Amino acid sequence: MELSTQKNLQPPIVPKEDKVVSPWLEAWRSFRKNKLALIGTIIVLFFIVIAIFAPFIAPSGINDQMLSKRLQAPSSEHWFGTDDFGRDIFSRVIYGARISLWVGFLAVMGSIVVGCFLGIVAGYYGKWVDTIISRIFDIMLAFPSILLAIAIVAVLGPSLKNALIAIAVINIPNFGRLIRSRVLSVKQEEYIMAAKAVGMKNNRILFKHVLPNSMAPIIVQGTLAIATAIIEAAALGFLGMGAEAPNPEWGKMLSDAKSFLTQAPWTMIFPGLAIMLTVLGFNLMGDGLRDALDPRMKN
């Protein structure tokens, strides 16, 4: 009888509460399980490291000319061969990573800043503000992006700086429309209504609540846009409207080498491979981020 009484007096077992996991931590766990995304990240990090340590990796200067060794095939002395001026292509490809990544990152950052600002204003305030900004986006998207970039560079003048500006401008509508659609959804949430009810100013609502809850799609789109920006910079360089000689920009290297395609194909192969691998890396990483950050992509 006493034993049964003691059993009844034992405290009830309280089930353990599930540990709350941060959405960003959960996204990281999902991302690192994606093997293709990790491969893409490794490729991107590889080119970033090459760009940072280019002076220590490159065996010679980017403009060191050796006319006696012009158009030599790849060898132990010149891993990627030499161009028509006898310059080491391996060194120029390594330094070209600096230019291409620099253009890609800066152009996309400019697009994100301007596009997000316009998209937030259009989505949050609506009415005539939304109408004007949305029509501007529609007009810009009506033109093929590369043609619009060529037109901008033609007006500003051929240079790497103007090519960067043109690439940033043509990508603004993509980020603007993306953030606008996100803001239209977020501003209907209860916490936004509560913030308005307590008298919080619009600027504080936008930058403290709306923008942070709209960053996931921007991160994904930004990663994919860097790959597009690198291709667009290479295209402008190939057309002679981007980097000017003797800058070792990959697109410009392809343009300079097109006359020697049959005689010295390595002058085009290695800059082309650098563009392909860099773009592949950013695309794989962007796809992995989309799968990790977008709830609709999860099982």
Side-chain angles (χ1 to χ4, degrees):
M1 189 71 179
E2 291 180 359
L3 290 174
S4 62
T5 306
Q6 288 178 359
K7 285 183 180 180
N8 294 332
L9 292 176
Q10 289 179 354
I13 298 173
V14 180
K16 281 188 176 181
E17 294 183 0
D18 293 335
K19 187 177 180 181
V20 178
V21 180
S22 167
W24 294 103
L25 180 59
E26 184 181 354
W28 163 244
R29 289 175 179 174
S30 175
F31 179 82
R32 69 184 183 184
K33 292 178 182 178
N34 190 328
K35 293 182 179 180
L36 289 177
L38 290 179
I39 292 172
T41 304
I42 292 171
I43 294 173
V44 170
L45 291 176
F46 172 75
F47 278 99
I48 291 175
V49 170
I50 283 179
I52 293 173
F53 296 102
F56 305 99
I57 300 174
S60 60
I62 57 175
N63 294 318
D64 293 347
Q65 299 182 13
M66 297 170 286
L67 295 178
S68 60
K69 297 182 177 181
R70 65 189 301 269
L71 298 178
Q72 284 192 352
S75 62
S76 58
E77 184 180 1
H78 302 286
W79 292 358
F80 290 178
T82 60
D83 63 8
D84 55 320
F85 288 101
R87 296 173 297 192
D88 184 65
I89 295 177
F90 177 69
S91 301
R92 291 177 63 80
V93 168
I94 288 175
Y95 274 94
R98 281 187 165 187
I99 298 176
S100 294
L101 292 176
W102 177 73
V103 170
F105 279 113
L106 286 186
V108 171
M109 286 302 299
S111 302
I112 289 175
V113 171
V114 178
C116 285
F117 174 77
L118 294 176
I120 286 175
V121 170
Y124 187 78
Y125 291 102
K127 299 181 181 179
W128 63 270
V129 177
D130 184 20
T131 302
I132 293 175
I133 294 176
S134 296
R135 296 297 78 77
I136 293 173
F137 288 163
D138 291 340
I139 292 171
M140 294 177 68
L141 290 171
F143 296 93
S145 58
I146 190 63
L147 292 181
L148 184 57
I150 291 173
I152 295 171
V153 175
V155 172
L156 299 177
S159 71
L160 185 62
K161 178 182 176 182
N162 292 337
L164 190 154
I165 294 172
I167 295 169
V169 169
I170 63 177
N171 284 296
I172 287 174
N174 297 325
F175 289 99
R177 295 184 69 177
L178 179 64
I179 197 70
R180 174 185 172 274
S181 63
R182 182 65 181 168
V183 170
L184 289 174
S185 174
V186 170
K187 76 175 186 178
Q188 304 298 328
E189 298 290 340
E190 293 182 358
Y191 60 90
I192 300 295
M193 301 293 185
K196 290 181 179 179
V198 298
M200 186 178 291
K201 293 183 179 180
N202 288 331
N203 292 339
R204 192 176 177 188
I205 293 174
L206 288 174
F207 291 103
K208 189 175 181 180
H209 296 294
V210 176
L211 185 59
N213 286 284
S214 306
M215 286 308 298
I218 293 299
I219 293 172
V220 175
Q221 181 64 26
T223 306
L224 297 171
I226 292 175
T228 305
I230 291 173
I231 293 177
E232 290 165 346
L236 290 173
F238 184 82
L239 296 173
M241 306 189 76
E244 299 176 346
N247 289 323
E249 194 270 327
W250 292 335
K252 179 63 177 172
M253 291 176 68
L254 290 175
S255 177
D256 294 339
K258 65 180 182 293
S259 302
F260 310 100
L261 179 59
T262 56
Q263 182 183 357
W266 56 87
T267 56
M268 291 193 74
I269 289 174
F270 293 109
L273 280 175
I275 295 172
M276 184 198 73
L277 288 174
T278 308
V279 171
L280 176 65
F282 277 107
N283 282 335
L284 291 176
M285 189 169 69
D287 288 340
L289 287 172
R290 181 194 59 195
D291 295 344
L293 295 173
D294 190 349
R296 294 172 298 179
M297 303 298 296
K298 297 178 182 178
N299 294 325

